[in-house]
Amino acid sequence: MESKSVKLAPEMLVPRLGEHLLQKGIINEANLQRALAYQQESALAGEAPLLGQALIQLNLIDKETLDQAVTELIIQLRSALQSANRNLEQRVRERTAELNEALTRLSELNQMKANFISNISHELRTPLTHVKGYLELLVSESLGEVNAEQKHALTVSQRATARLEGMIEDLIMFSLASRGELSMKFSGVDVRRLVSLLVKSAEGKAAERGVTLTASLKDNLPFVRADSEKLSWALGQLIDNGIKFTESGGSVTVAVQEKGENLIQISVADSGVGIPKERIEEMFEPFHQLDGSSTRHYGGTGLGLSLVRQIIEAHGSLLDVKSAEGKGSTFQFPLLIARE
Ligand SMILES: Nc1ncnc2c1ncn2[C@@H]1O[C@H](COP(=O)(O)OP(=O)(O)O)[C@@H](O)[C@H]1O
Ligand SMILES: [Mg+2]
């Protein structure tokens, strides 16, 4: 069998040739119909002439006129195509400009939000410092004797201010992070001491909830390379979560141990509610809590973990989470041992 390579004739590229020829008065409707019928018959016979060929074969048009008509159509089509392209480019340019504007606006809004949170949290801190100071004076009876009942009221108020202060610190940390200002100040940190202090300060809260909080620390642990303040804040968050998401009777253990020659592994393990595997990633989203219902059982802003992860990653480390629903969770990460 002879294989014919199909050559694209300009005419094949031109749709609606019949219409064009009619419009130009080169053929009439009756002739067009004749040519179309002829095309169909030929198709049945196994040939498939193009409309132009059919017209020529039927002597309804001469080759020169056909060529000219086809050329005209191609020119028309090309200019239509060019103008469509120009329109398209124009529209793409316009859309890009719009999107750029929206993006600028969005980052401005983001900046505004971060500034707002930053300003508000600093503003909140000032009056709170006064409240704390006076409460301290009252509790220590520097302003006069207080009876047992009054002392109790004052202690409750102190605890509430401590919570408020914690939330304000979270917000300050969040606004720093979202403005990309989470700058790290590394030094050799006595992680043993840092953890002991954190555990000590969380003991009251744990006891209140009936949770046993223990620190498992070896003697003579080397210092780690860390930003002391941020590490302390992050660990505080993990301990706070551990206590918060553990029922009365459960336990939270903070352990620090050497791992190989260069690393110290820090872990916070609880025997609490646990986290379903498929929801672990979700809990790192800012302002997100797994119990998002309006009747939330646990307090908090949902900010902690997203920042904890950022802080740990800024230490060049990774936060690992292991959890089993109903059995508890372990959050752990390694830090480099500091070598002077
Ligand atoms: N130790 C944990 N056990 C179970 N769930 C946890 C634990 N830590 C965090 N979560 C889940 O992740 C969510 C986000 O935690 P976090 O960012 O610290 O916010 P918050 O403590 O303010 O709720 C929590 O609301 C909780 O649903
Ligand atoms: Mg938390």
Side-chain angles (χ1 to χ4, degrees):
M1 226 169 63
E2 197 191 354
S3 77
K4 268 195 273 176
S5 72
V6 185
K7 241 178 135 186
L8 279 181
E11 203 196 318
M12 292 163 84
L13 297 169
V14 180
R16 312 211 294 191
L17 176 65
E19 215 172 281
H20 180 70
L21 294 174
L22 274 181
Q23 258 174 24
K24 305 240 5 167
I26 297 172
I27 54 168
N28 60 28
E29 182 66 39
N31 287 349
L32 176 62
Q33 291 308 326
R34 259 184 75 195
L36 289 173
Y38 174 77
Q39 250 188 320
Q40 273 190 347
E41 278 163 34
S42 316
L44 289 176
E47 280 174 53
L50 297 168
L51 180 63
Q53 289 169 327
L55 287 164
I56 286 177
Q57 282 165 21
L58 292 172
N59 270 327
L60 296 174
I61 196 170
D62 62 79
K63 175 115 180 45
E64 210 173 306
T65 316
L66 176 69
D67 281 351
Q68 202 185 336
V70 167
T71 312
E72 265 172 31
L73 252 186
I74 289 178
I75 290 170
Q76 275 179 19
L77 270 175
R78 198 166 52 194
S79 84
L81 198 65
Q82 273 168 356
S83 104
N85 266 342
R86 269 197 302 276
N87 279 341
L88 202 62
E89 277 165 21
Q90 176 65 23
R91 281 191 52 199
V92 168
R93 264 198 300 276
E94 281 169 13
R95 282 300 283 155
T96 311
E98 278 170 28
L99 284 174
N100 271 332
E101 212 170 291
L103 194 67
T104 314
R105 183 95 191 97
L106 206 62
S107 42
E108 275 170 15
L109 280 175
N110 227 355
Q111 187 66 40
M112 266 171 65
K113 185 185 76 181
N115 289 348
F116 170 74
I117 294 178
S118 165
N119 293 344
I120 261 283
S121 36
H122 282 104
E123 286 301 315
L124 287 172
R125 203 150 64 166
T126 319
L128 194 61
T129 315
H130 292 127
V131 175
K132 263 180 63 181
Y134 279 113
L135 281 175
E136 185 56 46
L137 286 176
L138 287 168
V139 168
S140 62
E141 301 195 323
S142 310
L143 300 180
E145 237 174 79
V146 288
N147 65 31
E149 216 171 321
Q150 288 167 332
K151 198 157 219 161
H152 175 71
L154 290 171
T155 320
V156 173
S157 309
Q158 269 188 318
R159 228 176 287 143
T161 39
R163 266 190 67 196
L164 212 55
E165 202 180 21
M167 284 193 266
I168 293 169
E169 266 168 33
D170 295 3
L171 285 176
I172 290 175
M173 195 65 86
F174 174 74
S175 65
L176 285 179
S178 58
R179 291 198 295 192
E181 289 169 9
L182 206 66
S183 59
M184 306 294 286
K185 290 188 213 86
F186 289 107
S187 62
V189 175
D190 183 351
V191 66
R192 189 176 194 284
R193 182 160 173 275
L194 186 143
V195 169
S196 312
L197 286 175
L198 281 171
V199 167
K200 202 153 222 77
S201 73
E203 259 163 9
K205 191 169 178 187
E208 219 172 279
R209 292 194 44 103
V211 172
T212 316
L213 175 63
T214 28
S216 159
L217 307 163
K218 278 207 312 189
D219 289 331
N220 295 325
L221 280 168
F223 283 23
V224 294
R225 182 182 164 276
D227 179 318
S228 168
E229 217 171 277
K230 298 201 178 63
L231 174 64
S232 169
W233 183 88
L235 266 173
Q237 293 287 325
L238 293 178
I239 295 171
D240 183 67
N241 281 348
I243 297 170
K244 188 158 68 172
F245 297 105
T246 300
E247 301 298 328
S248 172
S251 65
V252 175
T253 307
V254 189
V256 183
Q257 61 197 92
E258 289 178 83
K259 188 183 174 191
E261 275 183 21
N262 299 315
L263 299 174
I264 292 276
Q265 177 90 349
I266 304 177
S267 68
V268 180
D270 65 61
S271 65
V273 296
I275 306 134
K277 209 178 182 68
E278 68 282 2
R279 301 196 67 187
I280 285 187
E281 207 30 58
E282 203 184 301
M283 65 182 183
F284 288 100
E285 285 164 28
F287 299 109
H288 190 77
Q289 300 185 298
L290 297 189
D291 177 13
S293 58
S294 53
T295 54
R296 283 186 310 129
H297 188 49
Y298 312 100
T301 56
L303 262 184
L305 280 185
S306 84
L307 292 168
V308 168
R309 177 147 82 179
Q310 284 185 56
I311 288 172
I312 289 171
E313 288 177 2
H315 279 86
S317 181
L318 277 179
L319 178 63
D320 171 58
V321 186
K322 289 200 172 52
S323 187
E325 244 184 300
K327 296 223 171 80
S329 320
T330 301
F331 290 75
Q332 55 186 357
F333 58 96
L335 287 178
L336 270 178
I337 288 173
R339 306 215 186 274
E340 262 86 341

